[in-house]
Amino acid sequence: MSDHACGNCSSSGSGCSSEGGCSGCGDEKLNKTLSRIKHKIVVLSGKGGVGKSTVATNIAVALSLAGKQVGLLDVDVHGPSVPRLLSLENEKPHIGHEVIEPISYSKNLWVMSLGFMLPSKDDPVIWRGPVKIGLIKQFVQDVAWNDLDFLVVDCPPGTGDEPLSVLQTLGTDAYTVIVTTPQGIAVDDVRRSVNFCKQLGNPILGIVENMSGFVCPDCGKFHKIFNSGGGEELAKETGVNFLGSIPLDPEVGRSGDEGYPIIRVDHEGPTVNAMNSIIKPILKISDSLQESNEMPKVKDLKADNGMIRIAIPTAEGKLCQHFGHCQQFALLDVDTTINSIAATTMETPPPHEPGLLPKWIAERNVALVIAGGMGARAQSLFTDAGVKVIVGAQADLPENVVAQYLSGDLTTGVNTCDH
Ligand code: ADP
């Protein structure tokens, strides 16, 4: 959902795709595609050759093995390598009327790569900048992903126009994972990637240090070769999570060359253990957000002397479909002993800044927010602050919405801004 007024289009909400970043400007197709994707994970690196595609591919396969509906999108315009990593090099996607069908890798993992579109895998990619940018956006919006729990994106390396275009198209609620290697120079590149994500307002799930140490194919023991630990130090220095170190493992190289993801065939060992520790916080995102239609019950809300406070974003006095665009918040104090509204206060929120509203609301002792649409990032911030969220409520007077909630009659539909 969007928390800002778009400077490029007159639409104050429906054309804007994400909190803090308008990639829509009335682009309903993109918004429609994104609205069916619950969580986006963009795998970035400061430079090429550090194992970004390998990590992205293994994350996608691991998530699918965990039972999630997953899309893997390879928009690395410089060297789309996902088809090779998954032995899909000879696949050609079906292109229908304004839609591209992704390739099915398994029953719950679909893949799309720029590599499928090249006439030959030996052809260099020599599109000019604006063409590449257009392609990236088209790829995101035109692929018929349908409903996904996760879209994992293998992003072009660096911090230039191409990764910028990926993040702007996906919106500021796309999570990022930054891959580095232990050598000093790669660590410097990653520092730039961390700042890049911070400036764009995209949450960083953490840093992965790849090719950190060596697993001997003969004895299976782990040996340090480069001065490893740079990724962990950088994570500490920048206040970002460290997700884990993947060793330089000949089996990873072989699996990449032969086109099978190591996570699918190996079940233990330092490499797979490292990959699994990277997946855990990603799976946690989906657990922490409101995944089901189950509504929080009054008894589960934070009460103060029997009183609970419910916040509703409003525009023109009614519940507003776009949380970040609301004019005022209605704060309704409910006396749980008699199950009815005791008082309503209207408050004007501060001017938009990504991530600010959840904090502002939590400071007002709010136990529950009932909204029309809300992006995954804002939901996650509310969860962290101990505030429950209901999304998909219809426009109505705040008192009516709360009365329906208290009587168990509140119905919810689609989260109008879940991207
Ligand atoms: P990038 O996407 O950053 O350009 P790739 O994922 O294509 O990098 O990896 C580059 C090469 O390094 C590939 O041949 C891949 O198989 C190999 N590789 C990646 N990670 C490892 C690892 N941990 N151990 C051994 N080889 C690796």
Side-chain angles (χ1 to χ4, degrees), residues 45 47-55 76 79 81 84-85 154 157 179 210-212 246-257 271 275:
S45 65
K47 61 176 196 167
V50 299
K52 173 180 54 59
S53 306
T54 304
V55 170
D76 188 344
S81 47
R84 176 178 57 84
L85 293 170
D154 184 2
V179 182
N210 188 27
M211 309 192 197
S212 167
I246 303 172
L248 184 65
D249 181 347
E251 195 49 43
V252 175
R254 190 173 318 125
S255 68
D257 290 344
T271 305
M275 299 261 188

Side-chain angles (χ1 to χ4, degrees), residues 293-358:
N293 290 331
E294 207 179 298
M295 244 176 240
K297 299 196 170 51
V298 175
K299 69 175 177 46
D300 298 329
L301 300 176
K302 216 171 36 185
D304 187 0
N305 275 334
M307 302 293 287
I308 55 163
R309 182 167 262 197
I310 300 177
I312 296 187
T314 66
E316 312 295 336
K318 286 189 171 175
L319 181 144
C320 147
Q321 290 303 309
H322 297 277
F323 170 74
H325 283 284
C326 77
Q327 295 161 346
Q328 286 196 303
F329 275 89
L331 303 176
L332 297 103
D333 293 310
V334 171
D335 185 339
T336 57
T337 55
I338 49 170
N339 214 29
S340 77
I341 301 166
T344 303
T345 330
M346 300 301 289
E347 283 208 34
T348 305
H352 171 68
E353 227 183 86
L356 188 69
L357 274 183

Side-chain angles (χ1 to χ4, degrees), residues 150-205:
F150 288 97
L151 177 67
V152 179
V153 182
D154 184 2
C155 189
T159 50
D161 286 348
E162 294 144 20
L164 178 69
S165 168
V166 172
L167 289 182
Q168 284 183 333
T169 303
L170 293 172
T172 50
D173 55 359
Y175 291 86
T176 57
V177 169
I178 300 171
V179 182
T180 182
T181 56
Q183 298 97 318
I185 179 144
V187 169
D188 283 345
D189 285 333
V190 173
R191 195 173 277 119
R192 275 192 286 277
S193 298
V194 169
N195 290 336
F196 176 72
C197 297
K198 284 187 175 170
Q199 275 167 20
L200 289 172
N202 285 80
I204 306 172
L205 273 174

Side-chain angles (χ1 to χ4, degrees), residues 393-410:
Q394 304 303 305
D396 201 342
L397 295 173
E399 288 78 5
N400 292 350
V401 174
V402 171
Q404 286 159 17
Y405 169 67
L406 294 174
S407 62
D409 294 330
L410 182 68

